Structures are given as C-alpha cells and as structure tokens.
Amino acid sequence: MGANHHISPGGGRRSASRRAALVVAVLPVAGALALTAASPAGAPAKRPAAVGGGALGSYYDQSVGWTDCGRKVAEAARKTGRKPPGYLKRLQCSRVRVPRDYAATDRGDLRLAVARLPATGGKSDRIGSLVLNFGGPGESGVEGLAGLGAKFTKLNERYDIVAPDPRGVGDSAPAVRCARPTARQAESLDRSPDDRTEIDRLAAYRELQGKLCEEDSGRLLPWVGTVDSARDLDVLRGALGEEKLTYMGFSYGTSLGANYLHLFPRKTGRVVLDGVENPMKNSEQTYLANAHAFQRALDDFTKDCTERGASECPLGGDAAKARKETRQLFNLLDEREIDTRAGELDQSTFVDALKNAMYSEKLWPDLRHALSALGDGNGAPMVRLAGGSGGAGVRGAGVPGAWAPGAVLAGPAEGNADAAFTAVTCRDTGDRYTAAVHQGFPDLRHVHGRPDADLHGLARHR
C-alpha cells in the first residue's frame, strides 16, 4: 500500500495481523535509516540518575533479571507441527516494577511484562536498547516481539530490541479484566446498527460492559492512561541502564511516544513515530478520517483486483460491480453470524478483515483468497484475516513474515486486548458518545459521493 493512503490506524484497536502488516510496510525505511545512521558504538551507558529522585529512585534503580521465555514457546509449536522462527531461542522476558500512582507511590506497584531480543552483533557494535510499541492501545508488546522479531533483524544487530506490555495490558499485572455479558444479554444485538432501536440496544449493551469492567478492574482503571504509560517508559529506560530512550512507535505507539517527548525531552534519544495520530482530532473526527483513508485503499484494491480479471478476482472484472458485490456481502451478514472453523464471521469481523488487508499490498492476495472462499461458503479465511476478532481465529495469520506465537508468559490476562483498548481509550479522552449522538454521525455511505461506499459503517465499529 502506498503512502498516499494516509491511514492512521489509531481509530480502532489493531489486531496482531494489522500490527504485522504495518511493520511489513514501513519498517525497512523507518528503522534502518533513522536509528543506525551516525550512531555511537560502545557498551551500555552507566545507570542514569532517577528522574524526580526521592520516592521514585527505587523504581529507576531496580535491576532487570532476564530469563529465557522463547524456548518453551518454540517447543510447544513443534509439538503441533509448526516450525518456530530461530530468533525465539534468544527471546528473554522479565518484569519491571512501576508505581500504580506516580503522585502517591504508597498506593502499591504494578509489574510490567517485558520481552527482549539481545543484540546479535559484537559488544563493540552494540548501541543500546530500542524500545518498541506496536500500537493499540491494548496490544501486547511481548507477543508482538515474539511474533515479529524477524522484522527487526537488521536493527537487532546493534540494538537490544525491547517490547513491554503497557500497564493493564497482556501479561502485565494486574491486567484489565472485564467479565463478558451473558449470551442472553447479547441476544438480538446488532453491532452495526441501522435504526434507533438497534442503536439503543447496542448502547445499553456497551453500558453493561462498562459496569462489568468497573466491577472487575475498578481499582486499576484510573491508572491505565497513556500519560502514566509514558512515565513507565522512563522507568524502563532507567532500569535498562540507558541515559536516553531510543524508541519506535507505530499508530497508537506514536501517541505514547509523543507523550514521552513532552514529559522527558532531555531524556529522549532517537525516536521514530510512524503512522502519527493527530492529537487535535476527537474520536469522531479520527474515525471519519480513518474511514476516508481505508475507503481510498479499498478502492485501490478493487481496481487492482478487477484489472486482473475474473479468473483471479473473486469480485469479477468490473470495478463498479465489484464494489456492489462487496457491499452485498456486508449486507448479507446483517443481524446474522456464520460459524466457521476459525470463529464467528459477522459484519464487524468482515470489516476488520478488509481493514487489515489495506495496510499493505502484500496482503491483497490474502484478501482475494478470503473473498473467494467466502463466495464458496467458507468464511474461515476472512475470520483469520481479521485477526480472530470473530472468535478463535489465529492472531497474525495470513501476514507475510508474521508468526503467531500464542501465549509467551503464563498469565491470567491472555486475550484482554479488547478490554484494555476500551479502558485506555476511556481514560485518555472525555468523549462519551450517547445513542443520540451516535445516530447523528454522518452516514459514511456518502463519504465519496457514492451511495454504495463499501466501508460505510467503519466509524461505528470499535
């Protein structure tokens, strides 16, 4: 996918496949050029002084003890017949202690899960640690590094590649946990509402989800915001023994990095922010901007597909008819779900699959295959391309170069990305859209002056 699409994925949580696709598209340029040019070589810097000192000193001065965590994952993969990537032999994990409340450290600690791939080059070539955030909010950095380590091979020669699970996320403890409403409470729920009755029903369901989340994680929710996570990055920098933070963030990771830049300008080293979120836009504006960008990318996919002819394109050889066919597939899933071997396929999952494939042209063959399979009655490839959002899909499946590792650390919060996304987003913004406001959102069927725009419901998802 070309840069002219200007997709800012921050408007919705990125699944592992979305995260991997973004890395496929941008990493070779952003990483290799920005981080290695004119870089000083040498041993790690002496442990820096704690920022703020006082009660925070013990957090900055803590030692990080790394243990092997990749071999067990690799062994488990072999037992299932999969060939794990070689870099898993070097994957190490640890936990870093941070205060729950930076203004009152006596309120207890949180423990962030952190993964590392030590630099592969000689000691004299090592620059230091490069900290990554793959996006989200709510995505696990530990799982991201375990699945995408091969994408950082060149940088890993001179940098230790480090990826934490932000507070409340993944294997960090405690993690945001939210009980799910019962199947009866979710009965007759349409996640892409078309009228006021469906909107009210969905709003009531979301309110119930919020109450359940507060019951389960109420003591944690006030402290999972991006500002606190940015402060955690500085504690991690100190614990790693780095004088300055070297950082690469994608999508939501750019917001996290920007917050760090604002809070710790003198502790900021080399930074790459890719797919920068616009902090001046509210949630509605961000969703609408994303919808425009995804629609342009989908138009390009449709044009490319139909130019290949009906023998290769499951949508046929006519672009106008192909757009209509895509819309019909979406409409067929209204108020219904298709059970597949990979999970349930509904309208939300269908749109997620389309969105994921728009991050890189390398994923377009996967989308053509998934649409072809759907036409034959097999929705599993669409669910997998969506990252498993519809059920038990394999995270990262269908992405060139990505590897789905499963759980890396044994923890109770496996699969909490959706809950963490909601918790962090709500903590970061005061936007609270009611059913009435939802009904007043612009109809995205007309974003390009066409009544058949394929991603008309995009702002209503996530």
Side-chain angles (χ1 to χ4, degrees), residues 129-143:
S129 299
L130 166 60
V131 178
L132 303 178
N133 182 282
F134 296 103
E139 294 295 340
S140 166
V142 173
E143 286 189 14

Side-chain angles (χ1 to χ4, degrees), residues 318-403:
D318 182 272
K321 291 181 179 179
R323 285 194 294 269
K324 185 177 181 179
E325 175 72 12
T326 305
R327 178 64 183 277
Q328 287 175 341
L329 289 171
F330 176 81
N331 288 338
L332 285 173
L333 294 168
D334 191 27
E335 296 187 6
R336 63 175 296 192
E337 297 173 345
I338 299 176
D339 290 327
T340 79
R341 289 174 297 176
E344 292 181 345
L345 176 64
D346 57 13
Q347 282 188 328
S348 296
T349 312
F350 180 82
V351 171
D352 277 346
L354 294 180
K355 287 163 57 180
N356 284 357
M358 295 305 103
Y359 280 96
S360 171
E361 292 179 8
K362 293 182 179 180
L363 293 175
W364 289 3
D366 297 285
L367 180 56
R368 292 197 301 270
H369 166 71
L371 289 171
S372 178
L374 183 60
D376 293 334
N378 177 14
M382 288 295 288
V383 176
R384 294 191 184 100
L385 189 55
S389 345
V394 180
R395 302 181 69 187
V399 178
W403 187 78

Side-chain angles (χ1 to χ4, degrees), residues 191-263:
R191 299 179 188 274
S192 55
D194 301 307
D195 55 41
R196 182 55 189 261
T197 299
E198 291 181 349
I199 290 173
D200 287 341
R201 190 178 295 144
L202 180 60
Y205 181 81
R206 295 302 190 197
E207 184 176 359
L208 174 61
Q209 285 183 309
K211 289 180 180 178
L212 292 174
C213 197
E214 185 175 9
E215 290 175 4
D216 288 347
S217 301
R219 295 186 65 251
L220 177 62
L221 296 180
W223 319 113
V224 297
T226 299
V227 172
D228 282 324
S229 288
R231 299 201 67 172
D232 292 344
L233 285 180
D234 201 58
V235 170
L236 177 60
R237 172 197 61 77
L240 292 172
E242 304 293 348
E243 187 64 34
K244 293 190 175 184
L245 178 72
T246 302
Y247 176 83
M248 179 183 288
F250 303 97
S251 188
Y252 165 76
T254 69
S255 177
L256 180 61
N259 273 272
Y260 183 88
L261 284 162
H262 175 72
L263 291 170

Side-chain angles (χ1 to χ4, degrees), residues 43-311:
K46 294 181 179 179
R47 186 173 298 279
V51 175
L56 296 178
S58 64
Y59 297 100
Y60 282 86
D61 292 338
Q62 66 185 293
S63 297
V64 182
W66 299 101
T67 59
D68 168 77
C69 61
R71 293 182 184 275
K72 291 182 179 179
V73 178
E75 290 171 3
R78 292 190 188 95
K79 291 180 181 179
T80 62
R82 293 187 298 162
K83 182 179 179 181
Y87 63 81
L88 280 180
K89 298 177 182 178
R90 300 185 293 107
L91 187 69
Q92 300 173 335
C93 293
S94 187
R95 294 190 183 273
V96 172
R97 184 173 54 90
V98 296
R100 179 187 301 264
D101 180 359
Y102 277 90
T105 56
D106 58 350
R107 291 188 174 181
D109 296 339
L110 309 178
R111 295 185 180 277
L112 308 184
V114 186
R116 178 180 76 163
L117 287 172
T120 59
K123 290 184 178 180
S124 61
D125 295 325
R126 183 183 179 278
I127 297 171
S129 299
L130 166 60
V131 178
L132 303 178
N133 182 282
F134 296 103
E139 294 295 340
S140 166
V142 173
E143 286 189 14
L145 186 57
L148 295 169
K151 299 297 176 183
F152 300 89
T153 300
K154 185 64 177 178
L155 289 170
N156 201 193
E157 292 177 3
R158 303 189 69 186
Y159 284 98
D160 294 342
I161 307 298
V162 178
D165 282 356
R167 54 175 56 208
V169 174
D171 285 303
S172 289
V176 176
R177 301 292 288 170
C178 301
R180 295 178 180 271
T182 65
R184 184 174 181 179
Q185 291 168 325
E187 191 176 5
S188 301
L189 185 69
D190 189 344
R191 299 179 188 274
S192 55
D194 301 307
D195 55 41
R196 182 55 189 261
T197 299
E198 291 181 349
I199 290 173
D200 287 341
R201 190 178 295 144
L202 180 60
Y205 181 81
R206 295 302 190 197
E207 184 176 359
L208 174 61
Q209 285 183 309
K211 289 180 180 178
L212 292 174
C213 197
E214 185 175 9
E215 290 175 4
D216 288 347
S217 301
R219 295 186 65 251
L220 177 62
L221 296 180
W223 319 113
V224 297
T226 299
V227 172
D228 282 324
S229 288
R231 299 201 67 172
D232 292 344
L233 285 180
D234 201 58
V235 170
L236 177 60
R237 172 197 61 77
L240 292 172
E242 304 293 348
E243 187 64 34
K244 293 190 175 184
L245 178 72
T246 302
Y247 176 83
M248 179 183 288
F250 303 97
S251 188
Y252 165 76
T254 69
S255 177
L256 180 61
N259 273 272
Y260 183 88
L261 284 162
H262 175 72
L263 291 170
F264 305 101
R266 295 185 179 180
K267 291 297 181 181
T268 301
R270 294 177 176 84
V271 171
V272 173
L273 304 181
D274 200 294
V276 178
E277 293 185 348
N278 186 343
M280 304 305 293
K281 292 182 181 293
N282 61 24
S283 298
E284 178 184 357
Q285 292 168 334
T286 298
Y287 292 143
L288 290 173
N290 283 350
H292 281 280
F294 278 115
Q295 183 65 58
R296 287 195 297 271
L298 185 60
D299 287 345
D300 286 349
F301 164 79
T302 302
K303 181 175 182 292
D304 175 82
C305 186
T306 54
E307 287 179 350
R308 294 172 182 271
S311 61

